[in-house]
Amino acid sequence: CHLIHYLRLSHHLIVLNYLICTFDKLKSVSSEDIKITDAVFDGVEVRVFEPPAEGDESLRRGVVYIHGGGWALASARTSLYNNLCRIMAESLNAVVVSVEYRLVPEVCFPEQYHDALRATKHFLQPDVLAEYSVDPSRIAISGDSAGGNLAAAVCQQLSKDEDLTVRPKLQALIYPVLQAFDFNTPSYQQNMNMPVLPRYVMVSYWIDYLNGDYGLAHELLVNNHTALNVGRALSFHARLNWTSLLPASFKKSSAIVERLPALLDVRAVPLLADDATLARQPRTYVLTCENDVLRDDGAMYARRLERAGVPVTLDHFHDCFHGCMIFTMWPTDFSAGVKTRDSYIKWLDENL
């Protein structure tokens, strides 16, 4: 893939995603248990999973699910996400809407966010919920990894929309990526070379998502785009603040935020939201894994939500890794995937 990119035949992410989806993408195949249809919600493709109607015609729960893949890979139609959403629909007796947002490099931020927001707002319309027999008071927004980022950003925006008549009851974030402010948190340091998602790969995803230059990767890795650490060093900040003390010729990296202003845009970086916005968020579930550079992103978001008065469940798995929840099918049917998936669905069942 990188050779093809180097030869300028195509972008490596296009090639990689083509390979993933060519061998893995599934057509919408319904069964007696779950009806699967592909639809378009306000211009955004979605895949809808519907359990059979109950005899008493009672309303069902609803889940909007946003898949991961670094804003660049995977699909709502691949077998891994197809399987997850099917199991969610069966286990919860819920209508699950899996969002097929556009990917990097076709589009960059904020288009993925806009796609997720448009599809979610369309589903939340009373007439659409009635069409799918969904209870307006029992809807969750969820996603994993980059999808968790989009789910959190969408929830924050929905909480500010005064015209909405239906709002999500819950948000459930699976090892979400929530900040690009510090790539040297303890989990980034501990797991910088961990398979599935090494630190340099996560930084590359951010650069692609924000349509940046790969030449910025090193500066981001060493946190040259942020100010000094806080905490005990705060009182010494003015004495060591290189942004004001060094000559301009030394500050080659100080313009990174100017070159990538989205690094401080809460639609891309939900962890930077203000306390007032966080206080409006629904009851939240955050799943984190010990062997994951994004562990601390989720833990910090959970803590900030708690401080803002939001009921939060932080579900941490000490022996699991990033992305494990979708690996529940042969030949990657890992116990870590089944364990995290079952815990996630159990929480949704008890709270939705």
Side-chain angles (χ1 to χ4, degrees):
C1 294
H2 285 279
L3 176 61
I4 291 173
H5 190 168
Y6 177 77
L7 295 175
R8 298 185 178 180
L9 299 177
S10 182
H11 195 288
H12 71 278
L13 291 172
I14 294 177
V15 179
L16 182 56
N17 211 38
Y18 175 79
L19 294 173
I20 292 172
C21 293
T22 295
F23 291 103
D24 193 40
K25 188 171 285 189
L26 294 176
K27 294 182 179 179
S28 57
V29 180
S30 300
S31 67
E32 293 183 1
D33 298 321
I34 298 294
K35 176 184 176 183
I36 304 176
T37 55
D38 290 328
V40 176
F41 284 5
D42 191 17
V44 180
E45 295 181 13
V46 299
R47 175 162 284 191
V48 184
F49 301 76
E50 298 177 75
E54 298 287 345
D56 58 2
E57 298 184 357
S58 59
L59 295 178
R60 298 169 292 191
R61 296 181 276 197
V63 179
V64 174
Y65 195 85
I66 309 173
H67 71 80
W71 307 282
L73 303 173
S75 164
R77 297 175 181 136
T78 55
S79 61
L80 296 175
Y81 285 108
N82 204 79
N83 183 59
L84 172 61
C85 291
R86 179 190 288 274
I87 291 174
M88 289 169 60
E90 291 175 349
S91 302
L92 300 170
N93 187 34
V95 174
V96 178
V97 175
S98 188
V99 182
E100 185 79 327
Y101 58 91
R102 292 169 294 165
L103 302 173
V104 170
E106 176 191 354
V107 297
C108 299
F109 174 80
E111 298 309 315
Q112 287 85 347
Y113 162 79
H114 287 318
D115 285 356
L117 181 61
R118 288 204 311 273
T120 302
K121 290 182 70 173
H122 179 87
F123 183 60
L124 292 178
Q125 294 179 95
D127 58 331
V128 176
L129 295 175
E131 177 185 347
Y132 288 102
S133 300
V134 171
D135 186 341
S137 67
R138 304 180 73 187
I139 298 170
I141 298 180
S142 184
D144 65 293
S145 194
N149 168 283
L150 295 171
V154 165
C155 260
Q156 289 182 7
Q157 180 56 38
L158 294 177
S159 73
K160 302 174 185 177
D161 193 332
E162 298 180 356
D163 296 328
L164 280 182
T165 57
V166 177
R167 299 182 186 278
K169 179 182 181 181
L170 308 173
Q171 69 173 334
L173 312 177
I174 314 303
Y175 30 76
V177 48
L178 297 169
Q179 61 89 26
F181 202 68
D182 188 350
F183 293 109
N184 282 286
T185 62
S187 63
Y188 265 111
Q189 295 182 55
Q190 172 185 319
N191 301 297
M192 67 172 63
N193 296 313
M194 187 65 62
V196 180
L197 189 64
R199 183 174 63 162
Y200 74 90
V201 171
M202 190 64 248
V203 170
S204 297
Y205 280 143
W206 271 113
I207 290 172
D208 285 321
Y209 184 42
L210 304 182
N211 197 25
D213 185 337
Y214 286 124
L216 297 175
H218 174 72
E219 305 299 337
L220 291 170
L221 281 170
V222 297
N223 285 349
N224 275 353
H225 60 302
T226 61
L228 295 172
N229 291 332
V230 294
R232 294 180 61 189
L234 186 60
S235 60
F236 299 99
H237 188 281
R239 305 179 195 178
L240 300 171
N241 187 358
W242 57 266
T243 60
S244 62
L245 297 175
L246 292 179
S249 59
F250 287 8
K251 297 186 290 185
K252 296 179 181 179
S253 61
S254 62
I256 293 178
V257 173
E258 284 70 29
R259 294 170 65 184
L260 283 179
L263 285 169
L264 302 180
D265 189 322
V266 295
R267 297 174 301 170
V269 191
L271 188 57
L272 295 185
D274 58 47
D275 291 342
T277 297
L278 296 185
R280 291 193 291 265
Q281 300 313 296
R283 179 182 293 270
T284 299
Y285 171 90
V286 180
L287 187 151
T288 57
C289 296
E290 182 68 18
N291 304 305
D292 182 6
V293 293
L294 301 178
R295 179 198 67 194
D296 296 348
D297 283 26
M300 288 189 289
Y301 197 54
R303 183 59 174 155
R304 287 203 62 207
L305 287 168
E306 281 183 335
R307 289 178 174 177
V310 177
V312 177
T313 297
L314 178 59
D315 200 6
H316 182 65
F317 291 83
H318 291 276
D319 56 350
C320 294
F321 56 92
H322 185 81
C324 65
M325 200 176 78
I326 61 173
F327 295 121
T328 60
M329 299 173 59
W330 187 90
T332 57
D333 48 342
F334 301 137
S335 60
V338 174
K339 180 168 56 175
T340 51
R341 183 196 66 196
D342 290 352
S343 185
Y344 160 70
I345 291 178
K346 181 175 183 289
W347 185 88
L348 284 175
D349 191 36
E350 293 174 349
N351 290 276
L352 187 54

